Amino acid sequence: MSLIVVGSVAYDGVETPHGKVDRMLGGAATYIALSAGYFTKVGIVAVVGDDFAKEDVDLLSSRGFDLTGLERVPGGKTFFWAGKYSPDMNDRETLRTDLNVFADFNPKIPAAYRSSPYLFLGNIQPELQRSVRAQMNGVRLTGGDTMNYWIRDFRPQLLETLKQWDFLLINDAEARQLSGAYNLRRAAAKILDMGPHTLIIKRGEYGAILFRLDTHFMVPGYLLEDVFDPTGAGDSFAGGFIGYLAGQGISLQEGEIDQAELRRAVIYGSVMGSFCCEKFGVDRFRTLTREEIEARYQEFKTCTAF
Amino acid sequence: MSLIVVGSVAYDGVETPHGKVDRMLGGAATYIALSAGYFTKVGIVAVVGDDFAKEDVDLLSSRGFDLTGLERVPGGKTFFWAGKYSPDMNDRETLRTDLNVFADFNPKIPAAYRSSPYLFLGNIQPELQRSVRAQMNGVRLTGGDTMNYWIRDFRPQLLETLKQWDFLLINDAEARQLSGAYNLRRAAAKILDMGPHTLIIKRGEYGAILFRLDTHFMVPGYLLEDVFDPTGAGDSFAGGFIGYLAGQGISLQEGEIDQAELRRAVIYGSVMGSFCCEKFGVDRFRTLTREEIEARYQEFKTCTAF
């Protein structure tokens, strides 16, 4: 496997102005893997209950993912989350969070995964993220996500974890909370002092910004005509970003940085995030082709070049 | 004169998290002209009271503006607006609006202005905007701004006015209100049906989008480290956009469109809007040089190219 993805595999209940689905495949690791799978070989580390449906395993298998690390807990139930989006879909309310088997998730990295060069740590407890990193041998590029809960209540652990990361990929609210600075340029400078040499701040419909010590790169959000369901868009962005880097064999270590490839990775992230919103849940990834991805990449170029 | 700018010249009271100024030069036409003046020769059409200070006339004169169209009403008072920004400066509350002489503004275009090829109609009553257009001979490019009040209460007049415009430059909330569509791509399609062949939607800190029938161009907002006062940023954008087109002698008429120049105009608009926020009121324009403008234009390229 080229890329190891650690995080939640879940069922989601989602309501948007376009409709309502009571239960469908979701979870950060699911979206990250489905998105990254267009660019590289992926191994998943996650936990599910024995209610996890065969058709969902089949979808993941059909992409060639290594599922050795997908632990199934007998008698357990899969993590369930339900939420409802505001009419403009820029906000959402969590209606239900049943952690179930995810509450005791203690990721074990299968032997066959340990020499993989790329590692993406989805949004889980920072100490678990660190323990995963410690189980890897010779990883070339480590990065991940986090969230408000860990930033607020597990700050020392999170700061310890971040020291080992090459990149951090979070949204603007999280960047502000983590840094204590409202202004994104100042926030980025503070975060780049915490360890990661690369920071990607996602801004939802407004795009994303890539920060490094002396430079930044901004991409506007793709202008969709219909946003059906934004669930998983940020994770799909992450999958496109890390997936592209892994697929190209790119390292972000200091001294061997290819700025142009890094920017392309941000665009592929944006492309994958935009596709994700076009249908409910993971549905867009059931039919999406690499040709459509390339066409949208070109569209980004056409819509931003001057 | 190459460009005629019609709109308010005013005094503003502004409070932001960075400070408070009780009374300073402001008004849409002021910002538009000061910004456009870096690119082209400008004639102003506006009205002030006899409280309008000599130092403010001097600032405008120092830029070589033709002030023949700056009417001074004896015994009248200049339009006064006061507002207070929210802590994140994305919202503002109007504390006071004294229209004063602006209430009876009935723009008369001086004979020397009438053959000018470029016309920018600032945010005034739509019928007045139309009457100005009618006073011009051989204008090559007309565009302007409007606001929620005219969209809601003067809709038929506004729609009649828009039929004659080449471009409309408004913010996202106005575009949604005018079109009745929340999605900006759909909103743009509806507005381009109303007359203007070019639409620029300003998104504040998130940048701007240029729409034409079959294409759009997105630019992210410049990432400032300190936003002191956003007042006038949108008008400064307008000044940079129309000023650049006027300075280059560019027409937007169908059949003779230079897409690349149009995109450059949007970037210059973004550049000028970003500079405006760096100091209170018009202060940044007192020292800003053309060299700084070019440097920031290049910065936009560096931060967005891939």
Side-chain angles (χ1 to χ4, degrees), chain A residues 215-227:
Chain A
T215 175
H216 69 273
F217 169 59
M218 294 185 285
V219 56
Y222 184 79
L223 223 52
L224 287 162
E225 277 206 33
D226 288 298
V227 175

Side-chain angles (χ1 to χ4, degrees), chain A residues 156-216:
Chain A
Q157 297 91 327
L158 177 60
L159 292 179
E160 198 55 36
T161 297
L162 288 183
K163 284 183 188 166
Q164 298 181 313
W165 289 12
D166 294 295
F167 71 91
L168 173 65
L169 203 159
I170 50 181
N171 69 32
D172 41 7
E174 290 155 354
R176 286 171 173 141
Q177 191 189 4
L178 176 60
S179 65
Y182 182 82
N183 178 284
L184 291 185
R185 215 157 166 166
R186 290 177 189 276
K190 289 185 178 208
I191 293 168
L192 291 175
D193 255 356
M194 296 175 186
H197 51 70
T198 299
L199 168 69
I200 304 98
I201 298 182
K202 298 172 287 179
R203 310 167 96 188
E205 65 169 311
Y206 299 114
I209 314 176
L210 170 87
F211 288 96
R212 290 173 54 83
L213 202 57
D214 295 318
T215 175
H216 69 273

Side-chain angles (χ1 to χ4, degrees), chain B residues 266-277:
Chain B
V266 173
I267 301 297
Y268 278 109
S270 306
V271 164
M272 300 309 285
S274 75
F275 277 122
C276 179
C277 298

Side-chain angles (χ1 to χ4, degrees), chain B residues 13-30:
Chain B
V14 171
E15 187 173 348
T16 84
H18 295 284
K20 187 168 183 283
V21 177
D22 290 332
R23 184 180 171 90
M24 61 185 177
L25 179 62
T30 306

Side-chain angles (χ1 to χ4, degrees), chain A residues 183 185 218 223-224 263 305, chain B residues 183 185 223-224 263 303 305:
Chain A
N183 178 284
R185 215 157 166 166
M218 294 185 285
L223 223 52
L224 287 162
R263 290 180 172 212
Chain B
N183 179 284
R185 214 157 166 164
L223 223 53
L224 286 163
R263 289 178 173 214
C303 290

Side-chain angles (χ1 to χ4, degrees), chain A residues 42-44 56-58 60-61 64-71 110 113:
Chain A
V42 179
I44 292 180
D56 296 321
V57 176
D58 290 349
L60 301 176
S61 299
F65 298 157
D66 190 327
L67 300 180
T68 317
L70 183 67
E71 184 188 349
Y113 285 19

